Amino acid sequence: MFASLPERYETNVRRAASFRAKPAVLLTPDGGKEPAVMIRQASIIQGVLPVPEALRLANQIADALAAHREGK
């Protein structure tokens, strides 16, 4: 399991509070539109995830939280 350094605690908590996920649309090269999720931290867009990648990330976050509940 990853362990963050104690001196990074305040920075990690502050940055975590500024992350947001919002609905988005990916515009394809051929003019189409695909549903997506935009991840931003403060005013900086960190990425726009197609639905499969957003679901993959959401599942990884859920698994990480479950690992804590299970004491892993």
Side-chain angles (χ1 to χ4, degrees):
M1 177 181 294
F2 175 79
S4 173
L5 297 173
E7 58 268 22
R8 300 283 302 163
Y9 179 82
E10 295 294 331
T11 299
N12 288 332
V13 170
R14 185 178 61 253
R15 287 189 69 218
S18 69
F19 277 92
R20 301 285 183 268
K22 302 281 184 178
V25 175
L26 280 171
L27 302 176
T28 65
D30 63 358
K33 294 180 180 181
E34 294 181 9
V37 175
M38 184 242 337
I39 305 292
R40 92 177 324 143
Q41 188 241 335
S43 62
I44 301 167
I45 296 173
Q46 299 293 324
V48 180
L49 291 75
V51 170
E53 295 307 319
L55 290 170
R56 177 190 55 77
L57 181 58
N59 285 325
Q60 288 176 348
I61 291 170
D63 289 346
L65 292 169
H68 283 293
R69 281 193 307 271
E70 297 164 5
K72 292 183 180 178

